Amino acid sequence: MNHFLLDGPFVYPLTVFVMVVLVKIFLSIFFIKEPMHLFRFFCTQLAKKVNNQNNSVNQQKVAGLMATLITLSPLLIILWLFESFIEVNWLWQGFLLYFALGSFGLTRTSLKTAKALVAKNTYDAKQFIAPVTLRNTDKLSSLGITKTCIEMQLLQTIQQCFTVAFLYFLLGPYVALAFRLLLEMHYSWNIKQPQYKAFGAFVNKCVHLLQWLPTRLFVFFLMLGTLGQNFILYWRLITKHFFALNNSIAVYALALAIGKKLGGVAMYNGTKVRRLSFNDSALEPEPSDIIYATKRINQVLYFSFLSIVFSITLYLILTIKS
């Protein structure tokens, strides 16, 4: 496994990354479903075979641990061994990164949902949002759809794009792909669903540990957009969740950034899950806030990318001078 930042020039991973991003943007116009949906289907079928609800909680946790290791390890080993047969190394690295990065169609889905809600067409809005969220959407009101859409885009952008890119630049494409595979297991065996509360505990912990630092970096960039407003106050409020091993800090930060209330009760597999509510003193979000939230989220991505380009350019300049 090549550690790009250690074994090669900084410009190499950036070039591969830009090429893959451009390819994904182009292909997302024609293909809605991501290749990983097949792996998620496999995980769901695997859980049906090995997740015995009659077993004790500890037995279910062990089953989840073994299912994760047995699924993940062979795939990564095979891919790593296969690399020796590839003549064009950058093409192979790009191939791995392509599968690791998530969908680039989240913005389009969010905008279609917002337009449907503005037109009072909640049925179409539910159809747009249902395939990209684990929550039950059939009984959601316009407000519920709005909150779901905003939070879905935030969390999936952090997980499937920002964290994957962070791990890619730091540790290489194999680690980035390993995280994405763990993430798909996490989606399939989400602990918010009663039957996976114990079985999905191990993969849930792995995902939250790996995305802990990237999430806080994303939140920092998001909070930079509030400079000149209430930056100090906002930062003090969200730091209460800084060390929590969940996504609370990200949802809280976005709620403050758009000036709306987020979080609260959600339905997963017919079960009501009571979650924390953030920015309670603010108004509930409206469909137009989906567009505003999308802009704030994408601004972080653009700023992050420009920061990487600037850092690599500065590195090359200093290297040439020395």
Side-chain angles (χ1 to χ4, degrees), residues 51-270:
N51 182 27
N52 190 342
Q53 296 295 292
N54 295 321
N55 290 338
S56 67
V57 171
N58 286 335
Q59 287 176 320
Q60 291 179 50
K61 287 182 177 179
V62 171
L65 167 63
M66 296 305 298
T68 302
L69 296 178
I70 292 173
T71 302
L72 187 64
S73 300
L75 283 173
L76 293 177
I77 291 172
I78 291 171
L79 290 172
W80 180 64
L81 292 174
F82 193 74
E83 183 180 10
S84 60
F85 297 100
I86 304 298
E87 293 286 340
V88 186
N89 190 57
W90 66 265
L91 187 62
W92 177 247
Q93 309 293 349
F95 176 80
L96 296 176
L97 180 60
Y98 177 85
F99 280 92
L101 281 172
S103 173
F104 280 20
L106 289 177
T107 296
R108 188 165 65 250
T109 298
S110 294
L111 295 180
K112 288 195 298 184
T113 303
K115 290 179 180 178
L117 290 174
V118 170
K120 307 297 182 182
N121 189 349
T122 56
Y123 176 80
D124 281 352
K126 291 175 185 178
Q127 299 307 305
F128 294 143
I129 202 71
V132 291
T133 182
L134 294 173
R135 302 181 194 180
N136 298 141
T137 59
D138 53 331
K139 296 181 180 179
L140 286 178
S141 63
S142 176
L143 173 60
I145 297 171
T146 300
K147 281 188 173 182
T148 298
C149 185
I150 292 173
E151 293 171 18
M152 173 277 299
Q153 185 174 8
L154 170 68
L155 298 180
Q156 291 195 22
T157 298
I158 292 175
Q159 294 169 342
Q160 298 181 17
C161 297
F162 195 85
T163 300
V164 167
F166 178 88
L167 293 173
Y168 164 75
F169 282 107
L170 187 65
L171 299 171
Y174 287 99
V175 176
L177 181 61
F179 172 78
R180 181 62 194 280
L181 293 172
L182 285 170
L183 190 62
E184 292 301 321
M185 295 181 202
H186 171 62
Y187 292 155
S188 302
W189 310 332
N190 197 288
I191 62 172
K192 292 185 178 72
Q193 302 177 73
Q195 68 271 33
Y196 298 128
K197 188 172 183 179
F199 184 79
F202 174 73
V203 73
N204 176 74
K205 185 65 67 69
C206 289
V207 166
H208 282 103
L209 282 171
L210 287 170
Q211 74 172 50
W212 186 88
L213 181 58
T215 298
R216 274 121 192 98
L217 184 60
F218 185 96
V219 166
F220 175 73
F221 288 152
L222 182 62
M223 286 291 96
L224 286 179
T226 65
L227 284 173
Q229 301 174 20
N230 295 301
F231 176 79
I232 302 298
L233 174 61
Y234 291 166
W235 190 253
R236 287 177 179 173
L237 290 172
I238 65 175
T239 49
K240 297 176 183 178
H241 302 275
F242 190 83
F243 294 103
L245 204 59
N246 53 41
N247 297 311
S248 295
I249 190 172
V251 179
Y252 200 173
L254 184 61
L256 294 171
I258 66 174
K260 297 294 181 177
K261 182 179 178 180
L262 294 177
V265 176
M267 293 288 291
Y268 295 89
N269 200 24

